Structures are given as C-alpha cells and as structure tokens.
Amino acid sequence: MSGPDASLTVSVVICVYTEDRWEDILAAVSSVREQSHPARETLLVVDHNEALRERLLKEYEERADVRVLANAGPRGLSAGRNTGIAASRGEVIAFLDDDAVAERDWLRHFAEGYADPAVIAVGGRTVPIWASGRRPVWFPEEFDWVVGCTYRGLPPGRVRVRNVLGGNASFRREAFDAAGGFATGIGRDGDRRPLGCEETELCIRLSRARPDAVLLIDDRAVIHHRVPEAREHFGYFRTRAYAEGLSKALVARSVGADKGLESERRYATRVLPAGVARGLRDAVLARPGGAGRAGAIVAGVLTAAGGYVVGSVRARRGGATFTVAPVEGGAHG
C-alpha cells in the first residue's frame, strides 16, 4: 500500500458518560489534538449526563476543533457512537475510548490503510495500562479483550480481519450508509452488565452489504487503555466473560452462527489450548502465575460458553433484542 493521503479528513468520536473519568477524557482529547495526521474534529458525545456535558462545554468553549454533543438516542455506547457519526464531517470516522490515549501516529496509520479504495474499516492495537502498574500474574494475555485490549492470538502487522475492535477503530463514512449504524441493545450501557460485540455485529453486517469491502487491523495504530483496579480481579474477569457469551449469542442470532462465531472457533481451538499449555509449562518451571493463567483460560471459556447458552435461549424466546437504524446526517469534505 502507498502512504497516507494527507487530504483525508478524519473525525474522532469519543463517547463519555461519567465525571469520574474527567482527567482521562482530557488526556484522550489531548492525544487526538497532537496527531501527526491532524483530525478534522473531535466529537465528545455525552451519554445522558447533563452535568458532564455542561462541564465539557465550558472546558472546550474556545476550541473550534472540539465539539460536545448529547447522546441523541437511548442510553449506551452504540447510540452515542451513532450520534457522533451523524454529527461528524470527516470522510473517515475514528473511535477512541474515553479512558485511552492515542500514540502520535495513530491516525496516520489509519489513513495509510485507506490509500486502498477497497478498505472500508481500519482498526489498531490497544495496550493495557494496569492500575496496579503491572499485569496480574494470573491474567492471561489471550483474554485481554476482557479489559478492552488487543489479545494474544490476533495476527501481527497489517492484516485483513472479520471485525475491528470498537475502542480503537475507524470506518469510511459510506460504511454506515451501506450497513446502518451500531446496533442498540447489544453493547455497553454505562456501568451496567459489561456487554460487547456491537462492532462485531456491525462489521459482519457491513461485509454482507459490501462483499468486496476490506477490513484491516494495523498493529502500528496504537492506543494505551486504562484498566481500573476493579477490573484486575477475577470477579470482573468472570462477569465480562459471561457477558461476552450473552453478546455473542445475540450476534449469532442476528447474522448466523457461521459468521457470528467464525473467528471464535479458531480462537477456541488453537489460541486457547496453546495458552493453557503455556501456563502449565510455566507452572512446571515454577514461573509465577502459570497455573493461574491456565486455570483462568479454562474458567473463561466455560463461563463464556454458559453465557452463550443462556443468551441463545433468551434470543429464541424473544427476550433479548437489538435494533439497527440508519445513521442520519453527516457531511463530506
């Protein structure tokens, strides 16, 4: 691929919901404003928190490149992203978590991917910043998706993928014209049960609408994502794994198990057994946490599988639904 198109305009959407992350939000915005490929604008979408919205409006009232918006849809990350997409003016819309900071060349690497007109989405690599200062010895890298980060098992380099990961991702505007927005009723809603998979469902839907479209992950497009202390414990690990199973059941119900579980089959049959073997080997060699990592992988698989079964039953009974709507608005150029 050729180098980045310097004229490519990128809007960055950061969804926010709590004043507890005030310093993180400011850091996220600063990291966007320092990009080597400048963002056209940063959109802060506030999820039904008027006090936070007013505080951000005051903070950025003199910054023409930062816009503060209220989530125009139901509470939750998906509707917040859709609000940002509708209000954005860039040719590409990138998403950054509110508790993450992007490296300086983040958007430049995204822009390089779009030099190929067939590419419709580009994601990056998300590195954890552990609150305790170091990875818990029992926490397997194969499960870093539990804390919203890139996990062991994803191929390195710039590679074609089924789906990008939502906290560090970008899409051409026409992706949303073709497939609609993020589904509501499937992803995160503030501090409630930590569901996910909304970007997986969108990417599969997008590939169906545009079979010729290429989706990439470029591991040079790096962000650093905070992992709060509460998420370093096994209780959260188990809760998040269960929620992932629930979410995957919804995705499989929507797009079919073939596509909905395509990447997960490889992950479960190749990546995870290798991780268990590595953990057991480390235990034999008396390396810290080896047995714990092997056990966590097994527990994570079983818990996610349990969530998937429960989610499948609920979906069949019609007790769990989500909605996809077209994204209105937006302007080119």
Side-chain angles (χ1 to χ4, degrees), residues 120-121 159-164 203 206-207 213-217:
I120 201 161
V159 293
R160 191 168 182 170
V161 292
R162 179 195 65 181
N163 63 275
V164 295
C203 289
L206 177 57
S207 294
V214 174
L215 292 79
L216 300 175
I217 283 183

Side-chain angles (χ1 to χ4, degrees), residues 1-4 8 92-95 106-126 150 154-172 175 199 203-204 206-207 210-222 263:
M1 290 188 184
S2 55
L8 184 77
V92 166
I93 300 104
F95 299 93
W106 178 59
L107 292 182
R108 184 172 72 83
H109 291 305
F110 280 174
E112 282 181 5
Y114 292 111
D116 180 349
V119 172
I120 201 161
V122 184
R125 178 162 57 98
T126 303
T150 301
L154 286 175
R158 182 160 58 188
V159 293
R160 191 168 182 170
V161 292
R162 179 195 65 181
N163 63 275
V164 295
L165 305 177
N168 179 7
S170 63
F171 297 84
R172 289 192 195 273
E199 65 273 4
C203 289
I204 295 172
L206 177 57
S207 294
R210 291 276 302 273
D212 57 332
V214 174
L215 292 79
L216 300 175
I217 283 183
D218 187 337
D219 67 4
R220 300 171 302 163
V222 178
S263 297

Side-chain angles (χ1 to χ4, degrees), residues 103 125-129 148-150 168 222-227:
E103 292 191 359
R125 178 162 57 98
T126 303
V127 179
I129 305 172
C149 294
T150 301
N168 179 7
V222 178
I223 70 169
H224 298 265
H225 182 264
R226 274 188 193 283
V227 179

Side-chain angles (χ1 to χ4, degrees), residues 89-323:
R89 296 177 288 218
E91 299 163 81
V92 166
I93 300 104
F95 299 93
L96 179 66
D97 277 343
D98 64 344
D99 52 356
V101 292
E103 292 191 359
R104 189 168 184 272
D105 291 331
W106 178 59
L107 292 182
R108 184 172 72 83
H109 291 305
F110 280 174
E112 282 181 5
Y114 292 111
D116 180 349
V119 172
I120 201 161
V122 184
R125 178 162 57 98
T126 303
V127 179
I129 305 172
W130 301 95
S132 62
R134 55 176 294 180
R135 170 186 296 276
V137 292
W138 62 269
F139 202 114
E141 292 181 26
E142 290 82 1
F143 272 78
D144 277 6
W145 55 263
V146 163
V147 292
C149 294
T150 301
Y151 55 90
R152 183 196 284 263
L154 286 175
R158 182 160 58 188
V159 293
R160 191 168 182 170
V161 292
R162 179 195 65 181
N163 63 275
V164 295
L165 305 177
N168 179 7
S170 63
F171 297 84
R172 289 192 195 273
R173 177 173 302 283
E174 55 259 38
F176 304 107
D177 297 336
F182 288 91
T184 57
I186 184 173
R188 279 185 179 265
D189 174 2
D191 289 319
R192 298 185 187 179
R193 187 187 294 281
L195 299 172
C197 295
E198 66 276 10
E199 65 273 4
T200 303
E201 192 276 338
L202 169 65
C203 289
I204 295 172
R205 191 167 11 104
L206 177 57
S207 294
R208 286 185 167 178
R210 291 276 302 273
D212 57 332
V214 174
L215 292 79
L216 300 175
I217 283 183
D218 187 337
D219 67 4
R220 300 171 302 163
V222 178
I223 70 169
H224 298 265
H225 182 264
R226 274 188 193 283
V227 179
E229 194 271 338
R231 296 185 183 180
E232 295 187 5
H233 298 290
F234 186 70
Y236 179 82
F237 178 92
R238 191 174 51 200
T239 300
R240 179 69 185 87
Y242 181 76
E244 184 76 1
L246 293 175
S247 301
K248 280 289 190 296
L250 274 179
V251 172
R253 182 77 172 168
S254 170
V255 301
D258 282 352
K259 272 291 180 188
L261 300 177
E262 182 180 52
S263 297
E264 288 73 17
R265 288 193 185 95
R266 176 189 168 276
Y267 172 74
T269 57
R270 298 184 190 176
V271 175
L272 295 184
V276 171
R278 229 180 345 262
L280 294 175
R281 182 197 63 202
D282 287 348
V284 170
L285 295 174
R287 292 172 179 162
R293 288 191 294 275
I297 291 173
V298 173
V301 171
L302 293 176
T303 306
Y308 183 83
V309 170
V310 171
S312 298
V313 170
R314 286 182 186 170
R316 280 198 298 272
R317 291 175 176 171
T321 59
F322 58 95
T323 306

